[in-house]
Amino acid sequence: MSSDLRSLIREVLAEELQAMRGGSGAHADTSPRPQVREEMVSIANDADLNRFVLRVLELARDGKSVQEIRNGRWKFRLQQVNAAPATQTTVAGPAVSASSASVEFDRGLVSERQVSALPEDSLVRAGKRVRFTPLAQDELRRKRIRVERKKS
């Protein structure tokens, strides 16, 4: 390809990009914003603390998760503990119940990485708006995790 043709293509692309930005000369930031994941954790007793530590160890296996935690894109928030003993930990949107080994997803897209962090033979309760990636579906089958859709 000749340099004249390349330069012409660059000019046309620059004009089209400027038109898409509303014609202004300012360069709009079109880069995707990093998604911040929040994990709500309820620690009311030693068992809850132990489950949280096991969850962190599971995340530490994946180098990408470790980097997200270090860079502040994966944050842990402490839930207020009620007078009754808390047996629920929310993990990146889902709620993990200690007594029944079940996880709840209310909305969003569930990835293979989220499913791989779940224990085998557990139960996933999913809201109507929850979708699973194809790799997440494969991981659900491999780990024999049952999915139950919530009515509301």
Side-chain angles (χ1 to χ4, degrees), residues 9 18 25 29 45 58 60 76 97 100 105 109-110 115 128:
I9 290 172
Q18 187 173 0
D29 183 14
N45 54 40
E58 183 71 31
F76 297 94
S97 171
S100 64
F105 293 94
L109 184 68
V110 178
V115 174
K128 286 182 177 181

Side-chain angles (χ1 to χ4, degrees), residues 17-71:
L17 288 173
Q18 187 173 0
M20 286 175 55
R21 291 181 186 136
S24 69
H27 295 284
D29 183 14
T30 58
S31 62
R33 302 226 183 264
Q35 200 172 18
V36 176
R37 199 181 286 218
E38 283 193 5
E39 206 169 301
M40 297 302 292
V41 181
S42 174
I43 300 176
N45 54 40
D46 291 341
D48 289 344
L49 179 60
N50 200 26
R51 269 189 300 284
F52 176 67
V53 169
L54 291 172
R55 170 76 176 131
V56 170
L57 288 173
E58 183 71 31
L59 290 172
R61 289 182 180 177
D62 180 13
K64 185 175 180 185
S65 296
V66 171
Q67 282 304 110
E68 287 178 351
I69 292 168
R70 282 191 177 138
N71 294 334

Side-chain angles (χ1 to χ4, degrees), residues 91-145:
V91 178
V96 179
S97 171
S99 58
S100 64
S102 68
V103 177
E104 291 186 21
F105 293 94
D106 292 324
R107 63 176 187 251
L109 184 68
V110 178
S111 69
E112 182 257 347
R113 190 168 74 186
Q114 289 172 296
V115 174
S116 66
L118 301 175
E120 288 192 14
D121 296 319
S122 59
L123 171 68
V124 171
R125 290 189 181 96
K128 286 182 177 181
R129 297 183 293 175
V130 172
R131 299 292 176 253
F132 296 91
T133 65
L135 287 175
Q137 291 173 346
D138 292 344
E139 188 71 4
L140 287 167
R141 282 189 290 274
R142 187 186 72 73
K143 293 181 93 172
R144 297 180 305 278
I145 296 174

Side-chain angles (χ1 to χ4, degrees), residues 6-25:
R6 286 182 185 169
S7 124
L8 180 62
I9 290 172
R10 283 189 187 112
E11 287 176 28
V12 170
L13 284 174
E15 289 173 10
E16 289 301 316
L17 288 173
Q18 187 173 0
M20 286 175 55
R21 291 181 186 136
S24 69

